[in-house]
Amino acid sequence: MKRRAAIRGLGSAGAWVLTFGMPARAGATAIVAVRMWPARDYTRITIESDAALRATPFFVADPPRLAVDIEGIELSPTLRDLVGHVTPDDPNVAGIRVAQNAPAVVRIVIDLKRPITPQVFQLVPVAAYQHRLVLDLYPTVPRDPLEELIAQRLRELDQAQNALAAEDPLGALIAQLPPSPAQTPRPPPDRPPLLPGAIATDPAAPRPPVNETETRPGFAAKQRPRVPSTGGRSDRLIVVAVDAGHGGEDPGAIGPGGTHEKNVVLAIARKVRDRINRTQVNGHTMRTFMTRDGDYFLPLHVRVQKARRVEADLFVSVHADAFYTPRPRGASIFALSQRGATSAAAQWIADRENAADLVGGVNVRARDAELQRTLLDMSTTAQINDSLRLAQFILQEMGQIGPLHKPQVEQAGFAVLRAPDIPSVLVETAFISNPEEERRLRDPRFQNQMADAILQGIVAYFSQNPPLARNRQV
């Protein structure tokens, strides 16, 4: 009766109640570990135990908070530690309280910073994990990443315009005017007119290298800011989705020295992002959309969904390969296949990468509903052909910085490459299971070289395959 009264008191103000889980054992269940993974997209809390927990969550909308009653356990130092896992920069969680609410019942109350749509589910043991109770806290109003990309570009244009106005007010006014026909530059009479998509540069001029020197302080200050005219705000914005594999609960492969794949591929992905964001192709500005920019887990179908939401022109997933033995080495690249894998090794790698959802932990009901809506198995032949072209360009660049595991592009049924309208590739940067390559993956110099290779492959692809017309403009 006492517990029922407590539930009714918490359940006021529009709370919902859901009970699930296995019946509690006669003996108390032990809590093995608690973890938190804060991110802008959502915050995940996991409670790992040596047996399935019986949990009853309650959500209260005003003020927003989520409470979870866990039966069959006693308050332990491990559960108390959950309070200290909250960080000030968590965008969703303001604080956590843990107490013994009743005999053999522990209550966890999560105070929220904004309205949240929670998902609470359990995971069976897999890999190194035992039973896990998962609390996923999704913002009720998710952010719009496409609007953020466009807003970022407009801020850059405004800042560049202001900088030019301070240096040359008359030039800034002229730059805002659309060019008249008489001012439109024309090719010299001894050169043929440029074809659509061609680069208006001297073909004899060497291609400028893309390397880390461009990030030196003061490098950009030596050049006058390039400020498009008013008409420049309707230029095509090229968006490249860069996907750092694994993350959060899913560490990916772990090297013999303890290096986690999720960490090194995020470092490389961020370097790719920085290079793309300061590069133009055929006069078009390029921008990167990171599917994840922190240490948190994303299901494979969500990575695809996010890339489609921003209408990405390309999707590049960054990984580090692994095998049972330390001998294999070298980089490789993969595209999607609808007709089976091109080799047994490609199929093995695809199976390993597709198993990420099992390790990271997916809410099966939410995943199945999303898959039914998006029909991710409808990838087109055109998408696969474009993916093979992109992969070939990146493979050529990677071959210049180190050994290749395979000298050709491979194909297999990677779930993360199933966007039906986005050329998509998966880059295995090196074998983290090889001690020498594990050290290279931790080396910022190698990370820079790999990021350069990926960028140069992307630029080469767009130079020969101009992006299609889209409504996304700035």
Side-chain angles (χ1 to χ4, degrees), residues 2 20 40 46 64 90 97 107 109 137 167 170 178 188 208 234 288 324 330 336 360 377 408-409 469:
K2 177 180 178 181
F20 64 93
R40 294 181 63 191
T46 58
D90 189 315
R97 292 167 281 153
R107 172 168 292 179
V109 179
L137 310 175
E167 180 181 345
L170 180 58
S234 62
T288 308
Y324 292 117
L336 183 66
D377 60 340
Q408 69 278 341
V409 178

Side-chain angles (χ1 to χ4, degrees), residues 33-40 42-48 66 78-98 108-113 116 129 132-137 247-250 262 294-297:
V34 294
R35 293 176 291 273
M36 281 190 69
W37 309 97
R40 294 181 63 191
Y42 78 113
T43 293
R44 166 170 286 195
I45 300 172
T46 58
I47 302 172
E48 186 177 357
L66 175 69
T78 303
L79 272 177
R80 290 183 185 275
D81 286 345
L82 189 58
V83 176
H85 283 54
V86 180
T87 59
D89 58 349
D90 189 315
N92 304 302
V93 177
I96 294 179
R97 292 167 281 153
V98 182
I108 301 173
V109 179
I110 305 169
D111 297 312
L112 304 168
K113 292 182 177 179
I116 291 292
Y129 294 114
R132 283 175 290 172
L133 174 66
V134 179
L135 316 176
D136 282 348
L137 310 175
E249 291 283 285
D250 175 21
K262 66 174 182 178
D295 187 14
Y296 58 97
F297 171 72

Side-chain angles (χ1 to χ4, degrees), residues 16 27 62 184 201 206 210 318 345 379 392 412 472:
W16 57 255
D62 187 22
T184 302
T201 58
V210 180
V318 184
S379 297
Q392 186 60 46
R472 180 185 62 250

Side-chain angles (χ1 to χ4, degrees), residues 256-277:
T259 305
H260 286 194
E261 177 184 1
K262 66 174 182 178
N263 295 329
V264 293
V265 299
L266 179 59
I268 294 173
R270 285 171 170 168
K271 292 177 182 295
V272 175
R273 173 199 62 192
D274 295 341
R275 285 156 171 76
I276 289 175
N277 287 351

Side-chain angles (χ1 to χ4, degrees), residues 10-285:
L10 181 63
S12 60
W16 57 255
V17 178
L18 174 66
T19 302
F20 64 93
M22 300 294 294
R25 299 186 309 176
T29 300
I31 302 301
V32 176
V34 294
R35 293 176 291 273
M36 281 190 69
W37 309 97
R40 294 181 63 191
D41 289 359
Y42 78 113
T43 293
R44 166 170 286 195
I45 300 172
T46 58
I47 302 172
E48 186 177 357
S49 57
D50 64 356
L53 297 172
R54 182 174 177 84
T56 304
F58 314 87
F59 180 71
V60 181
D62 187 22
R65 61 193 186 277
L66 175 69
V68 182
D69 279 354
I70 304 177
E71 300 181 27
I73 64 171
E74 301 295 331
L75 186 58
S76 65
T78 303
L79 272 177
R80 290 183 185 275
D81 286 345
L82 189 58
V83 176
H85 283 54
V86 180
T87 59
D89 58 349
D90 189 315
N92 304 302
V93 177
I96 294 179
R97 292 167 281 153
V98 182
Q100 192 78 44
N101 188 53
V105 178
V106 171
R107 172 168 292 179
I108 301 173
V109 179
I110 305 169
D111 297 312
L112 304 168
K113 292 182 177 179
R114 52 180 169 172
I116 291 292
T117 301
Q119 293 184 15
V120 182
F121 55 97
Q122 297 212 42
L123 299 171
V124 298
V126 63
Y129 294 114
Q130 300 187 50
H131 295 269
R132 283 175 290 172
L133 174 66
V134 179
L135 316 176
D136 282 348
L137 310 175
Y138 288 92
T140 301
V141 180
R143 65 191 181 100
D144 189 330
L146 180 56
E147 288 186 0
E148 291 181 2
L149 285 173
I150 295 175
Q152 177 190 14
R153 177 59 181 156
L154 293 177
R155 286 194 300 270
E156 292 171 353
L157 292 174
D158 289 338
Q159 291 171 359
Q161 189 69 55
N162 293 337
L164 179 60
E167 180 181 345
D168 184 0
L170 180 58
L173 291 174
I174 295 175
Q176 295 179 16
L177 299 174
S180 64
Q183 295 172 327
T184 302
R186 297 185 178 183
D190 59 339
R191 291 187 184 179
L194 291 171
L195 296 177
I199 302 177
T201 58
D202 185 354
R207 182 177 65 176
V210 180
N211 52 46
E212 202 65 8
T213 59
E214 294 183 5
T215 63
R216 292 200 308 267
F219 180 86
K222 297 178 182 178
Q223 302 179 7
R224 188 184 187 88
R226 179 183 180 277
V227 184
S229 66
T230 304
R233 286 183 179 262
S234 62
D235 285 348
R236 173 73 157 81
L237 183 65
I238 297 176
V239 176
V240 179
V242 176
D243 173 57
H246 307 282
E249 291 283 285
D250 175 21
I254 301 176
T259 305
H260 286 194
E261 177 184 1
K262 66 174 182 178
N263 295 329
V264 293
V265 299
L266 179 59
I268 294 173
R270 285 171 170 168
K271 292 177 182 295
V272 175
R273 173 199 62 192
D274 295 341
R275 285 156 171 76
I276 289 175
N277 287 351
R278 59 173 184 257
T279 302
Q280 287 194 341
V281 178
N282 296 350
H284 296 300
T285 298

Side-chain angles (χ1 to χ4, degrees), residues 399-461:
Q400 299 180 25
I401 65 173
L404 295 175
H405 182 63
K406 293 284 186 178
Q408 69 278 341
V409 178
E410 296 239 65
Q411 292 179 260
F414 290 89
V416 79
L417 303 182
R418 291 183 180 271
D421 46 1
I422 306 173
S424 305
V425 297
L426 186 144
V427 178
E428 296 282 6
T429 53
F431 272 84
I432 199 171
S433 53
N434 179 297
E436 178 185 351
E437 295 206 334
E438 179 189 19
R439 289 191 292 270
R440 296 184 73 196
L441 284 166
R442 292 198 303 259
D443 186 353
R445 181 173 55 182
F446 174 78
Q447 295 175 1
N448 291 331
Q449 292 173 339
M450 184 57 64
D452 286 341
I454 294 173
L455 172 65
Q456 295 289 12
I458 292 172
V459 170
Y461 170 82

